[in-house]
Amino acid sequence: MKILSGIQPSGQLHIGNYFGMMQTMISHMESDELYVFIVDLHALTSVHDSAKLATGTLEAAADFLALGLDPDKCIFWVQSDVPEVCELTWILSTLAPMGLIERCHSYKDKVAKGVTASHGLFSYPVLMAADILLYQAEQVPVGKDQKQHLEVARDLAIKFNNHYGETFVVPEPAISETMATVPGIDGQKMSKSYGNTIPIFLEGKQLKKRVMAIETDATPVEEPKNPDSCNLYKIMQLFAAPARMQEIHDLYVNGGAAYGYLKLELLDLLNDKFGEARKKKQQYLCDPAMLRAILAKGAEKAREKAIVTLDVVRDRVGLKY
Ligand code: ADP
Ligand code: TRP
């Protein structure tokens, strides 16, 4: 199966990114044809500090590699290194109905959160559709927030195929319901743009501060609590072993769950889970030349695939005369 997904280098990657997408992608490495990329062109819709974007891109690459992505077992590249995606974006945009793009809530949400309303931000879903269709991806693992964008990609593939003849694979979303939306420390969706994240690679005091800041209610320790509405419980579930989670569940239901104590337990679990990856990330960051070489090799492989699709598309729409 051809599996593809991308991530924006627009800030520190967090446990929502990890459980929503990165972990799933890494798990497909042995069995599938895997495409993983860092979407710097998408990040340009919200990051206008050149140094921040460039460093963020290398950091996101180091994050993936440190977490176990093997560039020899997948195609791993930076979006802008395959410029063909921009041409396909334009072609698709000429078929994209305004109403379809206007309905996308991610644009409205981002503008409401203070991101400048630009044409690029508005047409973000068309670039994402081009990302997916250019590589003829069959399955796209993402968090629930990206579901609507995938529907746009599917609609555009179908529209193109109906009008110009069978060209694109119509991609399927792969959204794991349990991991669909990881809550942030304030209970909203965890997101780089909401400042409510637990970054995967945060350490020491800074990490402790974030974990201790997870919002909980004021129910006294001995009183019963509802685990389903507790933010801390939901995050804990991602890390604790099932047997321990059952004990924690019983403490919530019967009384005796102490939030402060559970937060310290969560801190230990985070350190256990990502301790090794943190060391590896530092090693990668010490060798940016090696990171660039890995990404350049990936871009070469990605481009070979992209050129094939774009050549057919150009022919279909009449750009080959
Ligand atoms: P952010 O909202 O932090 O900027 P991105 O938009 O870069 O995150 O998302 C990268 C990937 O991580 C996407 O597949 C997205 O669906 C997933 N993702 C982001 N936040 C979460 C979350 N809170 N829960 C589950 N998946 C998430
Ligand atoms: N829009 C996605 C996000 O913010 C990132 C993305 C860009 C993507 N292109 C993609 C995800 C293609 C999957 C496939 O998370």
Side-chain angles (χ1 to χ4, degrees):
M1 176 97 77
K2 260 195 193 185
I3 303 205
L4 169 146
S5 196
I7 200 154
Q8 293 194 65
S10 51
Q12 291 174 307
L13 299 189
H14 53 76
I15 61 170
N17 299 137
Y18 180 75
F19 289 105
M21 182 274 216
M22 300 169 89
Q23 184 193 45
T24 319
M25 289 302 276
I26 292 168
S27 74
H28 282 291
M29 206 162 59
E30 303 294 338
S31 49
D32 294 274
E33 189 178 334
L34 189 66
Y35 294 71
V36 187
F37 58 133
I38 299 164
V39 296
D40 55 348
L41 294 171
H42 278 107
L44 255 186
T45 60
S46 61
V47 182
H48 291 117
D49 173 331
S50 57
K52 196 174 162 208
L53 183 60
T55 331
T57 300
L58 277 185
E59 269 216 41
D63 286 357
F64 259 112
L65 297 169
L67 289 168
L69 190 79
D70 179 346
D72 291 327
K73 292 185 180 158
C74 64
I75 303 189
F76 180 48
W77 78 104
V78 175
Q79 183 188 32
S80 65
D81 283 336
V82 181
E84 283 73 13
V85 76
C86 294
E87 186 172 339
L88 183 59
T89 301
W90 179 255
I91 295 171
L92 293 176
S93 77
T94 65
L95 280 183
M98 280 302 284
L100 178 71
I101 310 300
E102 273 167 355
R103 278 196 294 280
C104 290
H105 45 68
S106 159
Y107 171 77
K108 290 173 230 161
D109 291 350
K110 285 183 182 167
V111 173
K113 295 276 173 199
V115 180
T116 311
S118 65
H119 177 255
L121 189 67
F122 179 73
S123 55
Y124 182 112
V126 186
L127 175 58
M128 180 159 160
D131 277 337
I132 298 169
L133 304 184
L134 189 58
Y135 302 99
Q136 305 284 18
E138 292 164 285
Q139 218 183 68
V140 184
V142 281
K144 203 171 172 184
D145 59 318
Q146 296 298 314
K147 195 167 179 230
Q148 194 180 33
H149 287 161
L150 279 181
E151 276 154 19
V152 171
R154 287 172 58 85
D155 280 3
L156 294 180
I158 293 167
K159 200 155 192 241
F160 190 101
N161 289 349
N162 286 343
H163 190 84
Y164 290 111
E166 235 16 69
T167 307
F168 293 121
V169 169
V170 181
E172 294 290 339
I175 298 167
S176 138
E177 279 311 315
T178 41
M179 307 301 180
T181 306
V182 175
I185 59 171
D186 59 356
Q188 287 192 73
K189 175 193 118 84
M190 186 175 288
S191 172
K192 287 171 234 132
S193 34
Y194 301 168
N196 63 357
T197 67
I198 299 180
I200 303 170
F201 292 99
L202 206 62
E203 288 184 72
K205 277 191 187 155
Q206 283 178 309
L207 177 62
K208 186 171 179 189
K209 210 170 150 197
R210 276 306 161 96
V211 171
M212 297 320 273
I214 295 175
E215 284 177 22
T216 42
D217 60 25
T219 319
V221 175
E222 57 289 354
E223 277 185 31
K225 304 172 182 70
N226 179 2
D228 299 330
S229 60
C230 180
N231 198 18
L232 174 62
Y233 183 90
K234 288 185 200 154
I235 298 177
M236 200 88 194
Q237 251 177 338
L238 301 166
F239 293 94
R244 176 62 187 144
M245 216 49 227
Q246 185 58 52
E247 289 170 5
I248 296 174
H249 182 269
D250 294 345
L251 287 173
Y252 268 78
V253 177
N254 303 322
Y259 293 137
Y261 177 82
L262 289 174
K263 285 179 183 176
L264 290 175
E265 186 175 339
L266 175 63
L267 186 62
D268 284 343
L269 290 169
L270 279 160
N271 285 328
D272 286 350
K273 174 103 183 157
F274 298 120
E276 203 49 43
R278 284 180 198 145
K279 283 188 217 141
K280 285 197 193 145
K281 177 172 175 179
Q282 285 318 315
Q283 288 164 2
Y284 280 112
L285 287 180
C286 286
D287 195 351
M290 180 181 60
L291 281 176
R292 290 193 184 98
I294 291 172
L295 294 169
K297 204 167 145 197
E300 212 176 292
K301 290 195 262 178
R303 201 159 186 201
E304 271 171 30
K305 308 273 180 188
I307 284 168
V308 175
T309 310
L310 192 64
D311 193 54
V312 177
V313 171
R314 295 179 113 249
D315 191 31
R316 291 268 201 273
V317 301
L319 292 175
K320 277 177 124 181
Y321 51 88

